[in-house]
């Protein structure tokens, strides 16, 4: 995955995505003691950065593959992204969703034309259901995070952030399946100026943190975190990138996630989901090492059920 690949991907998907704003907050800067720049992918189409990777992955399919449709499994944001991207490109999409996915995300998938198949909320059940659909229909499976074309697409958010703020010392991403942080790490490596990439991860789903420690992909026995978009694990395509280019992953508690989420809602007046708040929570937790630094934060999405807020 070269700099040229990333540039070509960005040019390819540009007509189908928003170049989302980069915002800052004087009060949050004061709290952390650093200059923070929030890349607001909560303003992206479908409300999350995943529109980028989904669009790129579908555009790279052959006409024969497009005719047979696409399938994925997702707790919500990639489900919405693939449904919308497929609809925009005239392709049928089937989405396997865990039974505990937020209602707001299920409703959005339906509105974007995706066909929902529910399954038990385990990674194994998700993959088994998706495999069955592929075998029955001939549809192409597109993984939410462990697909080279998806990884490249997700990296374009960080490219845009660095285009606007080329002197960042660090970029923070939430870590779930690893597609966003892997793409961002590649973008920082190719387009940044000595810019380190950090991840934020819940203690309740800290497989990526443990994977960096052990050098192999670890799994979670459970993933009881409010950050529903992070209840998954790394893959063989994104893990080598993360291992090579990600500086460190900082773990945060559920209370720290909720407080960071509340802080953004109250101070910045924007809606972010718990998974997005994990990145800011990580910066706050380790703020001493980022004092007087310029730090970018990828706000990954804003798809939250307002009838079930944690505060």
């Amino acid at each position: 995955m070269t700099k040229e690949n990333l540039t070509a991907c960005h040019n390819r998907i540009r007509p189908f995505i928003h170049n989302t704003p980069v915002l800052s907050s004087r009060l949050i800067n004061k709290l952390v003691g650093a200059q923070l720049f929030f890349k607001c992918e909560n303003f992206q189409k479908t409300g999350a950065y995943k529109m980028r990777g989904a669009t790129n992955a579908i555009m790279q399919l052959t006409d024969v593959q497009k005719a047979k449709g696409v399938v994925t499994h997702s707790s919500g944001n990639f489900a919405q992204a693939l449904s919308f991207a497929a609809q925009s490109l005239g392709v049928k999409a089937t989405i396997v969703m865990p039974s505990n996915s937020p209602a707001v995300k299920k409703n959005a998938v339906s509105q974007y034309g995706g066909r929902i198949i529910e399954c038990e909320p385990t990674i194994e059940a998700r993959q088994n259901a998706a495999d069955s659909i592929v075998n029955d229909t001939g549809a192409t499976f597109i993984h939410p995070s462990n697909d080279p074309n998806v990884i490249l697409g997700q990296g374009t958010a960080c490219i845009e952030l660095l285009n606007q703020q080329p002197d960042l010392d660090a970029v923070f991403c939430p870590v779930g399946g690893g597609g966003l942080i892997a793409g961002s790490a590649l973008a920082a490596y190719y387009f940044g100026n000595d810019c380190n990439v950090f991840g934020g991860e819940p203690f309740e789903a800290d497989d990526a943190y443990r994977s960096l420690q052990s050098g192999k992909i670890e799994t979670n026995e459970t993933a009881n975190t409010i950050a529903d978009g992070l209840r998954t694990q790394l893959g063989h395509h994104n893990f080598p990138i993360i291992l090579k280019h990600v500086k460190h992953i900082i773990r945060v508690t559920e209370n720290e996630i909720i407080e960071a989420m509340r802080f953004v809602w109250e101070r910045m007046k924007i809606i972010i989901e718990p998974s997005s708040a994990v990145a800011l929570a990580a910066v706050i937790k380790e703020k001493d090492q980022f004092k007087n630094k310029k730090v970018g934060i990828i706000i990954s999405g804003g798809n939250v059920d307002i009838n079930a807020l944690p505060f």
Side-chain angles (χ1 to χ4, degrees), residues 52-61 78 82 142 147 149-150:
R52 297 171 180 273
T55 301
N56 189 50
I58 294 177
M59 292 183 77
Q60 294 295 83
L61 298 179
F78 194 76
L82 195 72
I142 298 177
D147 180 298
N149 289 317
V150 171

Side-chain angles (χ1 to χ4, degrees), residues 292-305:
N292 299 322
K293 301 287 188 180
K294 292 185 176 180
V295 179
I297 296 179
I298 307 290
I299 296 292
S300 55
N303 295 316
V304 61
D305 185 351

